[in-house]
Amino acid sequence: MKFIREFGRRIFHVHMKDVWWGHGDGTAGVFGGHTSFGDPGRYWDFRSLGHGDIRFEDIIVALNDVGYRGPLSVEWEDIRMDRVHGATEAAAFVKRVDFPASGHAFDAVFDKKNR
């Protein structure tokens, strides 16, 4: 989130991608060694959007805070899931988690001047 807040004016296109970490069986380290994606020993692996450990709501809040209005593209990789199913589900996920920023502070909606 710090990156988004610091460089928000320079962000023009966002790739949404998910990952999980710490789910391997411990035989491969954090950097994966020479293991293939999908190897159960990997410390981390890419996952279909919404099936990993990324906190997308925090990302959307930060993007809204910096005034980002550009595209959110699905960057899909998941060795464990059929790609048509996964990409379709991921596109729906992005539409679900993306929400517009409010044009007013919460209390401002009660101000008669803003009605």
Side-chain angles (χ1 to χ4, degrees):
M1 299 335 111
K2 184 177 180 179
F3 179 90
I4 293 170
R5 294 179 194 291
E6 186 154 337
F7 296 102
R9 294 179 315 180
R10 296 180 177 185
I11 299 173
F12 298 98
H13 194 118
V14 173
H15 289 241
M16 304 288 278
K17 192 167 188 171
D18 213 343
V19 67
W20 66 345
W21 53 86
H23 297 275
D25 67 10
T27 57
V30 174
F31 298 110
H34 296 287
T35 58
S36 300
F37 290 109
D39 185 312
R42 285 181 67 89
Y43 183 82
W44 70 274
D45 226 332
F46 292 117
R47 295 302 310 268
S48 189
L49 290 166
H51 293 277
D53 295 321
I54 301 299
R55 294 171 43 173
F56 287 100
E57 185 172 345
D58 293 350
I59 292 169
I60 299 300
V61 167
L63 289 169
N64 283 342
D65 286 350
V66 300
Y68 179 77
R69 299 294 178 263
L72 300 174
S73 296
V74 171
E75 186 169 342
W76 187 86
E77 287 184 67
D78 191 330
I79 193 99
R80 293 175 173 89
M81 187 180 290
D82 173 76
R83 65 184 179 157
V84 172
H85 172 84
T88 302
E89 181 184 72
F93 175 82
V94 170
K95 288 178 184 177
R96 206 170 46 252
V97 299
D98 186 24
F99 55 88
S102 173
H104 302 283
F106 174 74
D107 292 345
V109 297
F110 299 108
D111 186 354
K112 292 182 183 196
K113 292 183 280 182
N114 289 326
R115 289 185 183 177

